[in-house]
Amino acid sequence: MHHPTRPPINRLPVELLQHIFLFVLNNVPENPSIFSFGDTCISADFASPPLLLTRVCHLWRDIAHSTTAIWSRIHVALPGRIKALNPFLPSLLEIWLARSGRRPLSLSVVSEQLCYSRDTEARCLPWLRPYKSGADCRLLEILLSVRGRWETVDIMSPAIYDWSDNVDTPRLRTLKCFLREYRRFNAPNLHCLHIFSRNDFPARPALTCKDIRHLRLQHTSVNAVRFTSVIFPHLETMVVDNYSLGSGDRIDTVTQPRLESMTLPLTSDRREFIDILDGFHLPMLQKLTVVVGELRPLEVECIMAALAVATCHDPTVDLKMATPPSEVDLDIAKPLLSVAKEVAVCGKVLDLLEILPGPE
């Protein structure tokens, strides 16, 4: 009698199959999605791992269920105004989280109504108003029940406004959210913060979020960038994607005593760029990265003027642009060597010897 043999991959040791499952999950930068949305319905996302792995065969299902690491990352899209969820879907979320054991969680939460694309950055929609959705609240309750294991959290949802003002997350280390959401967290171990906001920072920092080391501001103002010296005194790196003049009183003199790396875009309003650094005391700054659309003498003059009104010790200036290095006139950037320890343009480091006068 013929007995079918197992597929070769199923002859591998269980530990090796677990590593393969982990490689599949970790090869995708986004957290795996639990739900799939249609025009009028919501269902479990069995077309993608890790749920897909449970549908291949009994062996794979048993191995997947016992591999806690593949369940420690999850993307939850809140259905918003869609009618009440089938009871299976909240139960699936509870089961998913239970299968992660006691592992730290990487969590991303987004509302479908934000028109959010996982391939692009989230957009701030100031006209959007939060509302209570029974489906959303049930899913958020489940996620909150495991908040003690949150380690990396990405929240882009107005439904979060219904949460408590004090969300205790003792293991949280990385947070990406809107400004008003950030203020709700008690996160004493939070070190990395990415904020989407068009508003200035509040006058008082969150008491348990004062040890931020790495900060990224997506939509901000000149005043907010300067105010980081008050609310985040331990910063080591800061990245600003875009900014405007904003409103409110300007802090004339500010100090970031530990900041080592700073990234700023150079907008068409060059005065704003200079205003950010004017009176900024940066004793530990080692690298200033400037994102420019086009490298011209005016941009170089603006950077030199900004460094002249800041207090720093000849940092490395790194110029980033979309233009290929072969199409950039590097001579334009050479004056920066008079105020910088080193200058790089699109990854190419300028050689000081090239601009020194030769022997007579």
Side-chain angles (χ1 to χ4, degrees):
M1 178 182 291
H2 174 70
H3 294 283
T5 58
R6 291 186 301 169
I9 191 170
N10 285 356
R11 301 175 199 167
L12 296 174
V14 170
E15 294 79 6
L16 188 53
L17 277 174
Q18 288 179 317
H19 282 293
I20 292 173
F21 290 175
L22 282 170
F23 178 79
V24 171
L25 267 296
N26 294 336
N27 196 41
V28 179
E30 296 91 0
N31 290 333
S33 180
I34 187 172
F35 297 138
S36 177
F37 284 84
D39 293 336
T40 59
C41 64
I42 175 175
S43 59
D45 187 9
F46 282 105
S48 304
L51 291 178
L52 176 63
L53 300 174
T54 68
R55 297 172 64 88
V56 174
C57 63
H58 290 294
L59 175 64
W60 281 35
R61 182 173 65 244
D62 292 342
I63 295 175
H65 286 176
S66 63
T67 308
T68 56
I70 68 174
W71 306 99
S72 64
R73 296 169 53 211
I74 184 171
H75 173 84
V76 180
L78 301 176
R81 297 186 186 276
I82 294 177
K83 61 183 180 180
L85 291 176
N86 182 308
F88 166 73
L89 297 176
S91 296
L92 176 62
L93 178 56
E94 291 177 319
I95 292 170
W96 183 307
L97 294 171
R99 287 175 182 161
S100 66
R102 298 183 178 180
R103 286 183 174 273
L105 296 174
S106 176
L107 170 69
S108 51
V109 181
V110 67
S111 287
E112 285 296 297
Q113 66 173 142
L114 275 179
C115 303
Y116 178 81
S117 170
R118 299 184 72 190
D119 298 324
T120 60
E121 296 289 2
R123 292 178 290 173
C124 297
L125 302 181
W127 48 264
L128 194 58
R129 293 293 180 267
Y131 59 86
K132 284 187 177 293
S133 161
D136 289 356
C137 289
R138 177 63 185 131
L139 297 176
L140 292 172
E141 287 174 2
I142 296 171
L143 295 175
L144 274 172
S145 70
V146 293
R147 61 186 176 273
R149 292 196 286 130
W150 292 1
E151 184 175 70
T152 301
V153 173
D154 179 351
I155 297 178
M156 295 293 141
S157 168
I160 193 73
Y161 301 167
D162 293 332
W163 288 18
S164 165
D165 286 338
N166 296 297
V167 181
D168 293 324
T169 52
R171 300 181 68 167
L172 186 63
R173 298 184 64 84
T174 300
L175 175 63
K176 182 178 180 181
C177 63
F178 292 116
L179 177 60
R180 68 183 69 187
E181 294 162 359
Y182 151 71
R183 299 179 65 187
R184 297 174 181 268
F185 285 86
N186 289 330
N189 292 306
L190 183 64
H191 294 324
C192 301
L193 177 63
H194 182 168
I195 292 180
F196 291 88
S197 178
R198 296 186 184 277
N199 302 317
D200 289 345
F201 286 112
R204 295 181 180 179
L207 294 179
T208 57
C209 298
K210 297 177 65 175
D211 199 26
I212 306 297
R213 308 295 179 86
H214 310 285
L215 176 66
R216 181 176 178 182
L217 302 175
Q218 188 74 22
H219 302 282
T220 189
S221 68
V222 170
N223 289 340
V225 175
R226 296 175 65 84
F227 193 65
T228 59
S229 63
V230 176
I231 193 170
F232 305 121
H234 303 299
L235 279 186
E236 297 173 3
T237 66
M238 185 196 314
V239 176
V240 178
D241 289 312
N242 54 67
Y243 56 86
S244 59
L245 184 59
S247 59
D249 296 333
R250 183 179 186 275
I251 304 176
D252 291 331
T253 303
V254 293
T255 300
Q256 278 288 8
R258 302 184 183 182
L259 194 68
E260 298 178 359
S261 175
M262 189 176 193
T263 298
L264 296 172
L266 183 52
T267 64
S268 57
D269 190 340
R270 299 178 184 85
R271 183 67 243 177
E272 292 178 354
F273 183 86
I274 297 174
D275 281 346
I276 287 180
L277 294 177
D278 188 8
F280 220 137
H281 184 48
L282 302 164
M284 301 299 292
L285 187 67
Q286 300 178 17
K287 184 177 182 180
L288 174 64
T289 299
V290 183
V291 181
V292 297
E294 181 181 357
L295 185 61
R296 297 170 299 183
L298 282 176
E299 279 71 26
V300 171
E301 292 173 6
C302 178
I303 297 170
M304 294 178 66
L307 288 174
V309 294
T311 305
C312 51
H313 303 293
D314 298 335
T316 293
V317 174
D318 187 10
L319 302 178
K320 299 288 187 183
M321 62 195 77
T323 308
S326 58
E327 299 179 12
V328 178
D329 184 357
L330 300 181
D331 289 337
I332 295 176
K334 288 179 179 177
L336 287 171
L337 287 168
S338 63
V339 295
K341 178 175 60 177
E342 184 177 81
V343 176
V345 182
C346 298
K348 179 177 175 54
V349 178
L350 301 188
D351 188 350
L352 179 61
L353 295 177
E354 294 179 3
I355 65 169
L356 292 177
E360 297 181 357

